[in-house]
Amino acid sequence: MRLPRVLLLVLVGLLLAGCGGDRDDGTTTSSAGAAAGAFPVTVTHARGSTTIEQEPRRVVAVGLRDQDTLLALGIKAVGAMDWFGQGTFAKWPWEDWGGAPPKVVSTGGFDIDFERVAAARPDLILGVYQDLKKGDYDKLTKIAPTVAQSAKHKPYTMPWREETREIARAVGRTQQAEALIAKVDARFAQVRKEHPEFRGKTAAMVDPSGTNTFVFGSTDPRGQFLEELGFAPSAPIERAVKGEFGTEISDERLDLLDVDHLFVLADRNTRGKLLSKPLFRRLDVAKEGRVVELPYYDAPQYGAAVAFNTVLSIPYGIDGVLKQMAASTRTR
């Protein structure tokens, strides 16, 4: 299965409020700790259930975006995955690690380096935005209590609100989570109010970096983001992805991309893989200038913010998408 190539400042300052630092011994601290009576807590997930006896002080995130949610809650993970592999980890515009980013606990890709996880001396491991296999989960639980992906959703499709709440329960900060969610909800509602023209218009997001074009469905974080802006998913694309988070399409099926608004995760070295194709240029969406490019690896990385789709990255992603759409309209 191909994983999303995520796979992201107006509200970021608000979301980061209360972030603390690391003590000299590396123990994670923050200005606002867990709520009274939050522990012990038992979290149920796809690999069973995990009981966390007391407030964790050293959290390792093996979920591909779990460190974002922790950071929004005021917790700096001591270890995280560098799955992007482009030297951008801990440099995202929406993240502020205060000069103390997590140690990398991946092997330069999507694989977990278990020795690095153990070396971080965690008392909690989060793998919520992950697809932890039983063998990997068993290895992690020998290191520290581990919370795996949701049992209710396919891997990498858990909605950001549920993910935020799940992680918040594990670290005893459910009230902070609800406040963060409310702020992001208000931002989405503001966009829908200010842009009623989005309502009912079909939209899709694609990644052209591979041999074929990868289109994301409505269960993927990118599809979820577009729906929250007010757009509607494309029925032909939904049939093509068959309930998965997305699928590759050949040039012969580029007609699937003829939606009202197409968002392309494009950088200098990848944009031409789709935008210059003769078959694509014949589509109405291309001829009528309804294609919006979202820089992914390139600054300002709006596409990456949307791909992360966390309570921390969403405000930055919203601002970026609106800015790129406005720029696209001016150049028509």
Side-chain angles (χ1 to χ4, degrees):
M1 177 188 295
R2 168 176 172 160
L3 293 175
R5 187 196 69 168
V6 160
L7 174 89
L8 343 111
L9 273 141
V10 173
L11 292 180
V12 170
L14 292 173
L15 295 178
L16 288 173
C19 283
D22 292 340
R23 297 196 319 216
D24 291 340
D25 64 0
T27 302
T28 301
T29 63
S30 69
S31 58
F39 299 97
V41 63
T42 298
V43 181
T44 302
H45 47 79
R47 295 294 165 212
S49 62
T50 299
T51 298
I52 304 160
E53 298 291 346
Q54 58 188 6
E55 181 179 4
R57 308 298 293 176
R58 297 182 61 84
V59 185
V60 166
V62 297
L64 302 184
R65 66 184 189 187
D66 295 5
Q67 74 277 359
D68 250 28
T69 303
L70 287 171
L71 191 56
L73 291 167
I75 297 172
K76 292 182 181 179
V78 296
M81 302 285 282
D82 185 17
W83 54 275
F84 244 82
Q86 295 291 317
T88 55
F89 178 68
K91 299 176 183 177
W92 301 122
W94 62 90
E95 291 182 346
D96 181 3
W97 294 99
K103 300 294 184 182
V104 174
V105 296
S106 55
T107 59
F110 294 99
D111 295 326
I112 300 167
D113 188 318
F114 297 95
E115 291 185 2
R116 291 180 182 178
V117 173
R121 298 181 289 113
D123 50 16
L124 176 65
I125 300 170
L126 293 176
V128 180
Y129 192 71
Q130 250 297 1
D131 184 12
L132 287 179
K133 307 304 181 185
K134 185 178 185 303
D136 288 348
Y137 175 76
D138 290 344
K139 291 178 184 178
L140 291 171
T141 57
K142 292 178 181 179
I143 300 172
T146 302
V147 177
Q149 67 271 15
S150 170
K152 300 177 182 178
H153 304 278
K154 292 182 179 180
Y156 311 111
T157 66
M158 189 177 190
W160 66 269
R161 291 176 185 81
E162 292 182 44
E163 182 178 297
T164 302
R165 291 181 173 118
E166 185 94 327
I167 291 173
R169 285 189 67 231
V171 296
R173 304 193 179 197
T174 56
Q175 287 187 330
Q176 292 97 315
E178 293 306 320
L180 292 168
I181 290 169
K183 290 175 183 175
V184 177
D185 281 342
R187 183 73 176 100
F188 273 127
Q190 178 186 7
V191 173
R192 292 191 297 269
K193 180 179 179 180
E194 294 177 352
H195 295 276
E197 70 275 13
F198 293 172
R199 184 173 182 178
K201 298 294 185 180
T202 57
M205 195 167 295
V206 297
D207 173 5
S209 64
T211 303
N212 293 313
T213 302
F214 197 90
V215 59
F216 300 95
S218 62
T219 63
D220 181 82
R222 282 145 283 225
Q224 295 169 9
F225 178 91
L226 292 177
E227 285 197 64
E228 298 220 53
L229 290 179
F231 295 114
S234 161
I237 290 176
E238 291 302 291
R239 288 193 291 270
V241 302
K242 299 177 181 178
E244 299 296 330
F245 56 76
T247 188
E248 287 189 344
I249 57 173
S250 64
D251 287 357
E252 290 73 21
R253 294 310 319 274
L254 288 178
D255 61 289
L256 290 171
L257 306 184
D258 212 0
V259 293
D260 293 318
H261 296 278
L262 184 67
F263 297 87
V264 182
L265 301 174
D267 297 310
R268 290 184 298 272
N269 61 338
T270 61
R271 63 189 305 274
K273 287 190 172 184
L274 175 64
L275 303 183
S276 64
K277 290 183 177 181
L279 288 175
F280 177 76
R281 293 171 68 89
R282 294 174 193 166
L283 301 179
D284 289 341
V285 69
K287 291 189 295 183
E288 296 173 8
R290 292 183 273 111
V291 178
V292 178
E293 297 180 52
L294 299 176
Y296 199 66
Y297 290 119
D298 293 348
Q301 299 172 317
Y302 296 137
V306 175
F308 262 74
N309 202 44
T310 64
V311 72
L312 186 62
S313 75
I314 287 171
Y316 183 78
I318 290 174
D319 291 343
V321 166
L322 295 179
K323 182 176 180 179
Q324 294 298 99
M325 290 187 73
S328 176
T329 299
R330 288 195 297 270
T331 58
R332 287 180 191 174

